[in-house]
């Protein structure tokens, strides 16, 4: 019915929008759904007030978050309420919310007036849609759990009583034990739960949507090593850019979304780093072999957060971290993903690598450098005077990438090379999008793969070519 097409983020488009629902008359109810028109950057539909009239009679009028809203809120899904700007309900990214309005018999005209703003998308229908409250059980990982006689549980680390039981279970396993599956509460559940598992020397493998893991782990494949690797270009006074797709901590990403991106016709046009799980060596060797065999000279697989498994290294006990990293390195070496991307969070916040953690990575992963975090900034630091650490600045749109790189050029003095690492949100960007960013750049820029990127950084900082 209505959609913002300008990517508004500051409320300039706030007004009462009149929506004619008359074409949907003839059934018991009409449903209004609000969602984000630009799912890649947040700033989704924000609704302040709804008034619905059947002919000239008001049949619904409410402000979100008040008791008057409750009879009409059919599905809140993961939408949120805010007290700001006089109060409103909003839905960012892939979230939504749905209102249901029963229509009086004999109604000839049905209209809705909606006070809303930001990147709204409004849909309507007269068939009852599925509700997010109607949970469908799924068991994609069930075969693997049964085959390995694994303990199965579902506990929320944000609920004190459940967290206590979660930690009791974790304290009874050996360091380096994997936790396969995922957590509740989306991002909030991810940050707190991965920190809890890391505290107990347990790594996470997001695998709740991985199908047929028993089959994939049993199917053998020859490990494939590319015959040639791209050579390091000559170091010049340029802006060196490296692009890295996110989601490498996510085992099922390798099975689903990454395969879609891999088939994108733009792949191979621009150097791209693909974060992946080194544990494919055991879990899906045929899948790893496929990606290695079909890679172009502009594709490089690198280890997803934070190596062989998802964990926060500074939350991991110092007493067990070196041994775990040493064990993990065997997977990095077998998979060829020797450049690691690291996420390091404490209390839900990104933090720098401590000196002891940086030492552990350097001594056990033997990497020429590592990527760190997902921030609103880029930058390179030589940690402990010998380990290049490059902050990844995350982007979710082509416009974001162009803006950041144009700003980098504006601030660059041109007297020495500049290094910029951009993280590509895998759910909203494609290799074709990366090619569009690259095509907009001038001769001052050069896109490179992770190996080349860190070799150039080491040369620019007069570090040995190999650690």
């Amino acid at each position: 019915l209505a959609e913002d097409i300008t990517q508004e983020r500051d409320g300039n488009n706030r007004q009462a929008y009149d929506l004619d629902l008359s074409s949907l008359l003839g059934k018991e109810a009409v449903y209004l759904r609000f969602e984000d028109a630009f799912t890649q950057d947040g700033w989704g539909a924000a609704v302040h007030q709804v008034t619905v009239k059947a002919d000239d009679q008001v049949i619904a009028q409410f402000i979100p978050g008040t008791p008057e809203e409750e009879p009409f809120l059919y599905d809140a899904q993961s939408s949120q309420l805010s007290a700001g700007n006089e109060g409103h309900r909003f839905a960012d990214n892939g979230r939504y919310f749905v209102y249901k309005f029963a229509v009086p018999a004999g109604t000839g005209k049905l209209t809705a007036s909606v006070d809303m703003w930001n990147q709204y998308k409004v849909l309507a229908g007269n068939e009852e849609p599925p509700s997010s409250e109607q949970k469908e059980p799924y068991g994609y990982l069930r075969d693997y759990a049964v085959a390995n006689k694994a303990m199965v549980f579902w506990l929320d680390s944000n609920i004190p009583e459940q967290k206590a039981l979660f930690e009791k279970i974790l304290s009874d396993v050996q360091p380096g034990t994997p936790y396969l599956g995922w957590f509740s509460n989306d991002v909030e559940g991810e940050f707190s739960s991965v920190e809890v598992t890391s505290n107990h020397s347990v790594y996470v493998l997001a695998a709740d949507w991985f199908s047929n893991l028993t089959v994939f782990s049993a199917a053998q494949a020859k490990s494939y090593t590319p015959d040639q690797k791209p050579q390091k270009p000559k170091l010049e006074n340029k802006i060196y850019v490296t692009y890295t797709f996110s989601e490498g901590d996510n085992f099922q990403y390798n099975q689903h979304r990454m395969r879609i991106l891999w088939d994108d016709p733009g792949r191979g046009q621009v150097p791209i780093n693909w974060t992946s799980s080194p544990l494919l060596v055991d879990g899906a060797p045929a899948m790893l072999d496929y990606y290695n065999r079909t890679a172009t000279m502009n594709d490089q697989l690198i280890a997803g957060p934070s190596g062989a498994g998802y964990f926060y290294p500074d939350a991991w006990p110092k007493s067990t971290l070196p041994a775990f990293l040493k064990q993990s390195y065997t997977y990095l070496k077998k998979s060829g993903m020797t450049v690691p991307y690291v996420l390091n969070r404490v209390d839900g916040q990104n933090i720098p690598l401590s000196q002891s953690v940086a030492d552990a990575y350097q001594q056990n992963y033997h990497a020429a450098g590592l990527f760190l975090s997902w921030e609103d900034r880029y930058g390179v630091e030589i940690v402990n005077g010998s380990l290049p650490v490059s902050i990844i600045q995350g982007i979710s749109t082509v416009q974001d990438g162009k803006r950041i790189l144009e700003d980098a050029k504006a601030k660059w003095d041109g007297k020495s090379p500049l290094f910029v690492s951009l993280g590509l949100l895998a759910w909203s960007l494609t290799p074709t999008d990366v090619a569009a960013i690259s095509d907009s750049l001038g001769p001052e820029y050069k896109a490179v793969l992770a190996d080349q990127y860190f070799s150039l950084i080491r040369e620019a900082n007069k570090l040995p070519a190999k650690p």
Side-chain angles (χ1 to χ4, degrees):
L1 291 181
E3 183 175 16
D4 174 72
I5 59 172
T6 57
Q7 244 175 321
E8 292 289 340
R9 299 182 180 183
D10 55 10
N12 280 337
N13 61 344
R14 180 179 175 180
Q15 66 180 65
Y17 294 84
D18 295 323
L19 310 174
D20 189 352
L21 308 175
S22 302
S23 64
L24 300 171
L25 292 172
K27 296 198 175 180
E28 292 183 358
V30 170
Y31 300 84
L32 268 185
R33 172 172 166 140
F34 297 86
E35 57 185 54
D36 192 343
F38 297 88
T39 56
Q40 63 268 52
D41 69 343
W43 303 95
V47 172
H48 291 264
Q49 186 168 356
V50 179
T51 302
V52 180
K53 290 183 179 181
D55 295 323
D56 292 324
Q57 177 189 357
V58 175
I59 62 171
Q61 188 169 42
F62 57 83
I63 295 171
T66 64
E68 289 77 19
E69 179 197 37
E70 293 176 9
F72 305 101
L73 187 58
Y74 171 76
D75 185 3
Q77 206 245 10
S78 295
S79 62
Q80 296 171 270
L81 291 167
S82 172
N85 296 293
E86 304 161 21
H88 59 279
R89 181 178 293 278
F90 65 95
D92 293 340
N93 305 113
R95 301 176 178 87
Y96 67 86
F97 54 98
V98 179
Y99 292 119
K100 175 182 178 180
F101 304 106
V103 182
T107 297
K109 184 176 182 181
L110 186 69
T111 59
S113 178
V114 182
D115 180 1
M116 63 181 172
W117 58 311
N118 270 0
Q119 298 172 173
Y120 59 80
K121 186 175 184 180
V122 187
L123 303 96
N126 55 18
E127 298 285 348
E128 183 175 297
S131 169
S132 63
E133 298 299 317
Q134 300 163 350
K135 300 294 184 183
E136 289 280 343
Y138 62 90
Y140 294 95
L141 199 56
R142 186 177 298 168
D143 61 318
Y144 198 72
V146 171
N148 286 278
K149 299 180 182 179
M151 182 179 185
V152 179
F153 58 91
W154 180 253
L155 296 169
D156 189 335
S157 63
N158 293 301
I159 298 175
E161 296 82 4
Q162 294 190 30
K163 180 181 180 182
L165 179 55
F166 190 17
E167 293 202 279
K168 185 177 187 302
I169 294 169
L170 295 173
S171 65
D172 285 339
V173 301
Q174 293 295 315
T177 294
Y179 173 98
L180 276 72
W182 199 233
F183 312 102
S184 60
N185 295 325
D186 195 32
V187 173
E188 181 185 357
E190 172 188 345
F191 292 176
S192 59
S193 300
V194 175
E195 186 171 344
V196 168
T197 55
S198 299
N199 287 161
H200 291 272
S201 304
V202 170
Y203 68 87
V204 175
L205 193 58
D208 49 327
W209 293 95
F210 197 105
S211 302
N212 297 321
L213 188 52
T214 49
V215 176
F216 274 103
S217 61
Q220 298 300 307
K222 294 180 180 179
S223 59
Y224 177 85
T225 303
D227 294 331
Q228 304 178 44
K229 285 189 175 182
Q231 296 298 310
K232 177 178 73 67
K234 179 184 176 183
L235 181 65
E236 301 176 87
N237 284 348
K238 287 184 177 289
I239 301 173
Y240 290 99
V241 185
T242 194
Y243 301 99
T244 302
F245 268 114
S246 64
E247 299 306 316
D249 62 297
N250 189 334
F251 214 44
Q252 56 226 1
Y253 163 74
N254 292 116
Q255 186 179 41
H256 302 295
R257 177 63 178 170
M258 182 172 167
R259 176 57 196 269
I260 293 171
L261 295 174
W262 199 257
D263 289 343
D264 183 270
R267 182 174 68 85
Q269 295 180 25
V270 180
I272 292 177
N273 310 313
W274 301 80
T275 57
S276 296
S277 175
L279 295 166
L280 289 171
V281 167
D282 284 346
M287 204 174 290
L288 174 61
D289 178 64
Y290 173 80
Y291 286 124
N292 277 328
R293 281 189 296 104
T294 58
T296 72
M297 291 289 279
N298 274 334
D299 298 309
Q300 182 177 349
L301 300 186
I302 68 172
S306 290
Y310 184 17
F311 59 95
Y312 301 147
D314 265 287
W316 194 286
K318 289 183 174 58
S319 59
T320 61
L321 182 62
F324 174 67
L325 292 183
K326 187 174 183 179
Q327 171 194 323
S328 299
Y329 178 65
T330 62
Y331 284 95
L332 271 69
K333 198 171 181 182
K334 288 177 185 176
S335 66
M337 306 177 198
T338 51
V339 174
Y341 168 33
V342 178
L343 287 178
N344 195 35
R345 295 186 177 119
V346 173
D347 295 330
Q349 301 297 316
N350 291 331
I351 63 170
L353 295 180
S354 65
Q355 182 175 340
S356 62
V357 166
D359 284 342
Y361 268 99
Q362 196 164 9
Q363 292 169 16
N364 295 287
Y365 274 18
H366 315 291
L370 59 84
F371 296 111
L372 180 67
S373 297
W374 184 273
E375 305 272 11
D376 192 25
R377 63 183 179 89
Y378 58 85
V380 174
E381 180 184 0
I382 309 301
V383 178
N384 296 343
S386 56
L387 177 64
V389 173
S390 182
I391 299 293
I392 283 185
Q393 178 159 5
I395 63 171
S396 56
T397 67
V398 171
Q399 292 80 3
D400 286 342
K402 290 180 179 179
R403 173 182 52 80
I404 290 165
L405 292 174
E406 286 171 3
D407 184 63
K409 177 183 172 182
K411 296 177 179 176
W412 178 50
D413 62 10
K415 296 178 180 177
S416 59
L418 177 65
F419 297 91
V420 180
S421 173
L422 293 184
L424 311 169
L425 187 63
W427 309 111
S428 62
L429 289 167
T430 67
T432 296
D433 292 326
V434 181
I437 295 172
S438 185
D439 288 345
S440 72
L441 305 177
E444 306 88 352
Y445 302 86
K446 185 169 182 61
V448 292
L449 294 171
D451 279 342
Q452 299 169 317
Y453 182 75
F454 285 112
S455 292
L456 289 163
I457 290 174
R458 298 186 75 87
E459 182 179 350
N461 288 274
K462 296 181 172 53
L463 299 175
K466 292 186 178 181

